[in-house]
């Protein structure tokens, strides 16, 4: 179940494979190391904000900005760099 509506109140994901089925509108990725990944499936009925770990970057978004994951979609977030804390959807 997702939680909160921003990076500080969103549900922290700790598993490699995550299925969101309801709740709030946000989740936070784990602090990944290069080569690690997390998969997120959104079955919540709403768009889901997927936030990077604190001070992280997803794709070309700003630091701490959420990735919008549409309902019924799956996204793999793969860590490409420890230096920038960046992850990219694959």
């Amino acid at each position: 179940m997702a939680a909160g509506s921003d990076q500080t109140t969103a549900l922290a994901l700790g598993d490699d494979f995550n299925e969101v089925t309801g709740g709030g509108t946000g989740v936070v990725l784990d602090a990944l190391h290069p080569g690690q990944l997390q998969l997120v499936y959104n079955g919540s009925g709403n768009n889901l904000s997927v936030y990077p770990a604190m001070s992280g970057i997803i794709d070309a978004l700003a630091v701490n900005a959420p990735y919008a994951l549409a309902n019924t979609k799956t996204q793999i977030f793969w860590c490409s760099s420890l230096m920038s804390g960046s992850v990219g959807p694959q």
Side-chain angles (χ1 to χ4, degrees):
M1 300 286 282
S5 59
D6 62 30
Q7 188 181 31
T8 59
T9 60
L11 174 70
L13 299 176
D15 295 327
D16 292 339
F17 300 94
N18 301 274
E19 179 180 1
V20 179
T21 58
T25 59
V27 295
V28 179
L29 296 173
D30 202 9
L32 303 174
H33 295 283
Q36 290 182 313
L37 59 86
Q38 275 188 299
L39 180 140
V40 180
Y41 168 74
N42 180 14
S44 68
N46 300 302
N47 285 340
L48 181 67
S49 294
V50 180
Y51 294 92
M54 192 58 70
S55 300
I57 299 168
I58 295 176
D59 204 14
L61 299 172
V63 172
N64 295 327
Y67 176 89
L69 183 58
N71 186 47
T72 71
K73 299 297 180 185
T74 300
Q75 192 66 58
I76 299 171
F77 296 91
W78 173 75
C79 182
S80 61
S81 171
L82 186 58
M83 293 291 290
S84 65
S86 64
V87 294
Q90 298 294 312

